[in-house]
Amino acid sequence: MKWLPRALGYAVLPAEAVLAVCLVAEVPVPALLLHAVELVVAVALLLGALVYRRARRDGLPPREALYEVVPEPVVRLAGHELGLMVSLVRWAGRRRHGVHGGAEAFGHARDQAALMYGFAFVCAVEAVGMSWLLWDVPVVHEVFLLLDVYTVLFVLGVHAASVTRPHLLDGRVLRLRQGCHVDLAVPLGSIATVRHQSLFTHGKADGELNLKVGGQTSLVLELAEPVEAVGLLGKRRPVRVVRFHADEPRALYAALRRARTAPSPAPDTAV
């Protein structure tokens, strides 16, 4: 049954987009057609809710149950876009994600700031130019203006996500993050070696993950046990070598050495 709401969704989304363009362009749309599309949307939502509820009853966690209704890549892309907009709010409020409970935070966005600001400025100039050129074509002007404004917000959101989601280190796990799409938890016990090594060229190889910032990485982890890396669209693969960047790589290197050599508390000792 789960294929039915997906099929309806694939059919309804293009229809909704076409209707939206027609309404903005003031093209007459028969009322019967509008009601028919909205009815199909309602049926798709109802069937999706039923499939989700059944999946939850079968014991699936909320995210896995949602994947039964909406394909995982679609959910992840929507979550990524939402995460970028939330990151802009956090950036404006000078709040960082996940920095609590005694975890040490290590920023990694400094070396990409100039590039991202420059890209956002170019997009803003392009938005102004297109708005002026299309001023006499209202519908096209509004569509392009919306797309241009969203592009500027997207670029700033990518940088805001990097600023507000630093790498985190506590006594058990190193969380390596990149924007809203990478959040890799590396248990400290799985780290075989760690070294400070600045690289500006990175080849692709099985079992390796490169989290570049401004085209560079500055630290390398070699793992005794592989960890699972999840891509933007949900693709999973094991990695044994992780290269990543930090604004202060020597400070993070020293913190990692301290955390890995610190004695473990006794079982009956409160942490």
Side-chain angles (χ1 to χ4, degrees), residues 177-197:
R177 307 197 284 186
Q178 188 177 62
C180 289
H181 62 283
V182 175
D183 194 336
L184 181 68
V186 181
L188 297 185
S190 298
I191 299 176
T193 61
V194 55
R195 63 181 182 271
H196 178 213
Q197 180 182 24

Side-chain angles (χ1 to χ4, degrees), residues 8-259:
L8 289 175
Y10 289 139
V12 165
L13 285 177
E16 288 278 1
V18 172
L19 286 177
V21 172
C22 290
L23 292 173
V24 171
E26 299 182 352
V27 175
V29 178
L32 183 60
L33 178 60
L34 282 175
H35 295 325
V37 171
E38 297 307 320
L39 178 60
V40 174
V41 171
V43 171
L45 291 175
L46 177 60
L47 291 176
L50 292 175
V51 172
Y52 177 84
R53 185 179 179 184
R54 177 177 295 180
R56 292 289 288 143
R57 284 181 175 177
D58 292 340
L60 291 180
R63 181 177 286 270
E64 297 296 329
L66 184 59
Y67 293 158
E68 293 293 307
V69 182
V70 184
E72 182 178 358
V74 177
V75 175
R76 287 187 171 275
L77 279 176
H80 180 261
E81 300 298 304
L82 179 61
L84 295 183
M85 298 304 109
V86 172
S87 295
L88 285 172
V89 177
R90 285 200 182 101
W91 192 28
R94 297 181 179 273
R95 294 183 291 111
R96 294 184 294 179
H97 177 273
V99 183
H100 52 72
E104 296 181 78
F106 298 89
H108 54 85
R110 184 177 62 196
D111 291 333
Q112 73 174 16
L115 175 64
M116 300 306 290
Y117 291 146
F119 191 23
F121 176 75
V122 170
C123 291
V125 171
E126 189 265 348
V128 173
M130 291 298 295
S131 180
W132 180 75
L133 290 173
L134 298 174
W135 186 261
D136 295 331
V137 191
V139 175
V140 180
H141 170 264
E142 292 170 5
V143 171
F144 271 87
L145 181 61
L146 179 63
L147 292 175
D148 287 335
V149 170
Y150 182 77
T151 300
V152 174
L153 291 177
F154 181 90
V155 173
L156 292 177
V158 169
H159 182 59
S162 297
V163 172
T164 59
R165 299 171 68 89
H167 303 314
L168 299 176
L169 174 65
D170 61 21
R172 300 177 302 278
V173 174
L174 171 65
R175 286 178 65 184
L176 301 176
R177 307 197 284 186
Q178 188 177 62
C180 289
H181 62 283
V182 175
D183 194 336
L184 181 68
V186 181
L188 297 185
S190 298
I191 299 176
T193 61
V194 55
R195 63 181 182 271
H196 178 213
Q197 180 182 24
S198 295
L199 293 174
F200 293 88
T201 58
H202 304 82
K204 292 185 178 181
D206 291 339
E208 296 185 1
L209 178 65
N210 299 308
L211 303 178
K212 296 174 286 187
V213 176
Q216 66 175 317
T217 58
S218 52
L219 290 161
V220 182
L221 298 180
E222 294 185 3
L223 308 180
E225 301 174 354
V227 296
E228 186 179 68
V230 183
L232 174 61
L233 300 181
K235 182 180 179 180
R236 291 162 172 80
R237 63 187 182 97
V239 296
R240 283 185 173 272
V241 177
V242 183
R243 300 181 183 89
F244 63 102
H245 184 64
D247 294 339
E248 303 295 340
R250 296 186 185 279
L252 179 49
Y253 175 78
L256 271 173
R257 288 183 61 100
R258 289 194 304 269

